[in-house]
Structures are given as C-alpha cells and as structure tokens.
C-alpha cells in the first residue's frame, strides 16, 4: 500500500487530499504513476492532464518523473510552486 498525497489544485480537482492505493507491479516510475492515475476517472484525468508540470516527491524528497517509485511509502503530487 502506498500513500498518495495531493496538494493545491491537484487536490481540489481530484476531490481528496490523500489516499492509500495498491499500485500494480508495472507502475515503476513517476511517469507510470501519473498515467495510471489518469485512467482512474475524469477527476484524475483533469487534475493530471498537464502531467509534465506536476511535481513529484517520494518520501518527502523531490524527484524527476523517471525516478523509480518502487518501495515508496508516500508519494506527493503537486503543481509548480511559486513563493517569496
């Protein structure tokens, strides 16, 4: 079981802040995960339609989309950040 955490408009579009999910064995990278999630329903497809701008953190560490996610306890998805 992997905990997925959603932030900002990703959370708003999906309609929940987090969920626990059993990932299929063929989901090996962040890119695989995003594509899998988009297949789960319209709300996921809408939230992740521009998957290249979605940021990913594995176990609270920012990673690239091609980073392996196998064994991750927590994966966070969020839009680009701005700040000051």
């Amino acid at each position: 079981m992997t905990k997925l955490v959603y932030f900002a408009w990703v959370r708003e579009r999906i309609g929940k802040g987090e969920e626990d999910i059993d990932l299929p064995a063929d989901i090996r990278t962040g890119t695989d995960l995003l594509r899998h999630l988009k297949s789960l329903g319209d709300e996921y497809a809408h939230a992740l339609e521009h998957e290249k701008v979605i940021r990913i953190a594995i176990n609270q560490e920012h990673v690239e989309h091609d980073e392996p996610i196998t064994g991750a306890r927590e994966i966070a998805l969020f839009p680009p950040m701005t700040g000051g």
Side-chain angles (χ1 to χ4, degrees):
M1 198 64 84
T2 303
K3 181 180 204 169
L4 300 180
V5 183
Y6 309 115
F7 291 94
W9 51 258
V10 175
R11 176 185 63 234
E12 292 168 12
R13 292 176 183 178
I14 290 175
K16 54 184 133 187
E18 62 183 56
E19 64 183 316
D20 291 317
I21 189 169
D22 280 320
L23 294 174
D26 63 337
I27 307 301
R28 295 186 176 106
T29 67
T31 298
D32 294 340
L33 173 64
L34 293 172
R35 290 184 182 149
H36 172 71
L37 290 174
K38 286 166 57 173
S39 75
L40 297 181
D42 290 341
E43 64 277 16
Y44 291 92
H46 179 61
L48 305 170
E49 67 184 320
H50 303 290
E51 66 183 66
K52 294 205 184 289
V53 303
I54 299 297
R55 306 328 256 154
I56 300 173
I58 297 175
N59 300 328
Q60 301 182 359
E61 183 177 322
H62 292 257
V63 298
E64 297 297 324
H65 285 204
D66 61 354
E67 186 76 23
I69 63 169
T70 305
R73 292 179 313 281
E74 178 186 274
I75 301 172
L77 303 177
F78 46 93
M81 297 176 285
T82 61

